[in-house]
Amino acid sequence: MSFTDPCLILLDCQRDQVTGADGRVAPENRVVIERIRDLLRHARQSGWRVCHCQFRSDGPEAGRAPIDGLRPTAQEAVFQRRGLSAFSDPYFHQVLARSAGSTALLVGFSAPFSILATVFDDCNRDKAITVIPDAVGALAVEPRDIAETRSMAFDLVARMSPVMDWEALTRDWPAEAPVA
């Protein structure tokens, strides 16, 4: 796998995607937030292309605000979409086109919905987004808890898309790997 000029895609890194019904962030998702923060810091320091893809609906704006520490900078592309897949933004495919020949890494939230929809669309376009499951979170989908929801989603994701675990990611960039 080539890691020349990687592209880091943050999908649905918004407060409403990590805040449960009780108004709190589950411990499983706190770990994911920290991993994404570490990877984002590493990407920015290493000069990677970084883009954010956020879901937009007609609901309250406050819940859709970016998660603290995962806010886009002025230099990073931000895609706003109304559909589940990142590709529902008409310009998102251009990110992958500009990243042809390099690795596109997908992290974020909404594993059983937006992540899975993006992977489906990616397969239909013969691209190769690599998903980092250890840096992807989810809210529970009743009657499943967070762990079961993630497991179900990644059972499908791994059948369609390359995946890389956190240890492999940090091992492949030993001199500049993010701190776990």
Side-chain angles (χ1 to χ4, degrees):
M1 184 176 284
S2 168
F3 293 110
T4 306
D5 191 29
C7 176
L8 179 62
I9 303 163
L10 284 79
L11 185 64
D12 292 348
C13 290
Q14 298 161 263
R15 287 189 220 153
D16 64 341
Q17 297 298 320
V18 297
T19 305
D22 62 358
R24 297 176 15 187
V25 177
E28 298 96 328
N29 284 330
R30 276 195 224 114
V31 170
V32 170
I33 290 169
E34 287 306 315
R35 285 187 173 147
I36 295 172
R37 278 184 188 143
D38 290 344
L39 186 55
L40 180 58
R41 186 177 316 115
H42 173 73
R44 287 171 172 164
Q45 290 171 351
S46 300
W48 296 3
R49 181 178 295 120
V50 175
C51 68
H52 304 257
C53 191
Q54 301 170 345
F55 183 70
R56 286 286 167 218
S57 67
D58 295 327
E61 288 291 320
R64 290 179 300 199
I67 297 167
D68 292 336
L70 302 181
R71 293 180 186 281
T73 66
Q75 295 80 28
E76 296 168 350
V78 179
F79 299 94
Q80 305 286 321
R81 66 184 206 292
R82 293 203 181 269
L84 285 178
S85 170
F87 290 97
S88 65
D89 180 290
Y91 299 105
F92 179 76
H93 73 283
Q94 293 176 359
V95 169
L96 297 180
R98 284 191 301 259
S99 298
S102 66
T103 302
L105 301 173
L106 180 63
V107 301
F109 291 89
S110 191
F113 300 109
S114 296
I115 296 283
L116 194 54
T118 300
V119 167
F120 275 126
D121 278 356
D122 183 55
C123 286
N124 288 333
R125 289 170 168 78
D126 290 327
K127 304 295 182 190
I129 291 176
T130 299
V131 180
I132 311 297
D134 296 324
V136 174
L139 293 174
V141 177
E142 296 292 335
R144 293 167 180 82
D145 62 15
I146 290 175
E148 290 174 307
T149 299
R150 288 184 78 251
S151 177
M152 178 187 66
F154 283 108
D155 181 44
L156 296 171
V157 166
R159 295 170 193 243
M160 297 178 287
S161 176
V163 295
M164 181 181 288
D165 66 24
W166 190 252
E167 289 76 26
L169 177 67
T170 59
R171 184 177 56 246
D172 287 336
W173 286 293
E176 48 185 1
V179 178

